Amino acid sequence: MSNSNSVDFGTKKVDADKKTRLVDDVFKKVAHRYDIMNDLISLGSHRLLKKMAVQMCGAREGQTILDLAGGTGDISALLAPIVGKNGQIVLSDINPQMINVGRERLLNAGKAQVAFCQNAAEQLPFPNEIFDTILIAFGLRNFTDKRKSLAEALRVLKPNGILLILEFSHPHNPKLKTAYNAFQSFWPLVGELVAGERESYEYLVESIEKHPKQKALKLMMEDTGFVSVEYHDLIGGICSIHRGYKG
Ligand SMILES: C[S@@+](CC[C@H](N)C(=O)[O-])C[C@H]1O[C@@H](n2cnc3c(N)ncnc32)[C@H](O)[C@@H]1O
């Protein structure tokens, strides 16, 4: 059953509050195996895609950057040597278990310029216009209210600041899509064997299918107020990078 407050949780329609709890539960359960699972189901390619995203965000020494839905900290780890000791990175995420894994990893690696903050992307606890750049890597798809989150990102960005979104997307070539679907059909089994979590990886596959297509996400960013929005397909559209600016 659906009502005006219902949102997608994978292929199900659920109440918005319930989606937040369900997504939180997914990441609570997979946090301890999240990094190894990423390597397995992407055959390691997520590392390269994250490097590309960081390169495309144009981060510079001394900047203040928000790693939104930063999870276990891959993006923050790549950004830390770029912004250097005079810069500041804030890893913000709704899920305490994911943050804990990230905090331990980054502190052990000596990335002292990363601060951690637990909160929802829909309601950021930051003043207006403090970040030079915001990155969201594989997070947007999970947000309960994507438009509200994008509006919050716009609010906390400095004028001319950049929002960069790396996310699963939709391949254009039907043969690639068929092969990719076949590959994805193994993810729940891998999730069960490696993380003891079949359902969470079923949600992953469904959430990718339900995520807006490339052009729809570009329009959503423009509707929110981002300017000069463009996107780049990666691996034939299996993933995409969307980049927009605060005018
Ligand atoms: C697939 S992980 C991505 C983590 C990391 N950015 C990466 O690329 O490896 C998605 C992250 O989004 C977070 N998340 C989900 N819903 C959120 C929300 N409404 N606000 C903030 N973070 C959220 C989850 O807790 C999880 O850590």
Side-chain angles (χ1 to χ4, degrees), residues 171 174-187 205 209:
K175 285 185 181 153
L176 177 62
K177 184 157 177 51
T178 305
Y180 178 51
N181 288 346
F183 180 55
Q184 280 183 324
S185 68
F186 290 103
W187 292 359
V205 175
E209 191 55 39

Side-chain angles (χ1 to χ4, degrees), residues 92-226:
S92 167
D93 196 287
I94 202 169
N95 184 277
Q97 287 81 11
M98 292 290 279
I99 292 178
N100 283 344
V101 175
R103 182 187 283 119
E104 198 171 321
R105 238 181 100 197
L106 293 171
L107 293 182
N108 284 344
K111 318 270 189 207
Q113 63 278 67
V114 183
F116 300 85
C117 179
Q118 188 199 333
N119 58 268
E122 289 83 354
Q123 202 169 6
L124 296 174
F126 310 118
N128 296 347
E129 304 194 341
I130 60 159
F131 292 104
D132 295 289
T133 297
I134 300 177
L135 275 99
I136 313 176
F138 302 110
L140 186 69
R141 184 174 34 85
N142 300 288
F143 293 174
T144 304
D145 190 333
K146 295 182 184 63
R147 286 180 187 275
K148 205 168 165 191
S149 307
L150 291 176
E152 277 292 86
L154 190 67
R155 179 181 70 74
V156 301
L157 266 180
K158 292 178 186 173
N160 301 318
I162 297 173
L163 170 67
L164 190 138
I165 301 170
L166 167 64
E167 190 48 275
F168 287 106
S169 201
H170 300 272
H172 305 285
N173 183 311
K175 285 185 181 153
L176 177 62
K177 184 157 177 51
T178 305
Y180 178 51
N181 288 346
F183 180 55
Q184 280 183 324
S185 68
F186 290 103
W187 292 359
L189 177 64
V190 179
E192 185 175 349
L193 295 175
V194 177
E197 264 307 309
R198 171 178 277 272
E199 275 182 16
S200 294
Y201 285 88
E202 283 169 354
Y203 159 72
L204 170 63
V205 175
E206 292 173 7
S207 68
I208 293 170
E209 191 55 39
K210 293 303 254 181
H211 188 62
K213 295 217 162 84
Q214 288 87 328
K215 281 189 184 151
L217 178 53
K218 177 175 185 278
L219 275 177
M220 198 187 280
M221 290 173 71
E222 287 166 346
D223 284 351
T224 309
F226 286 94

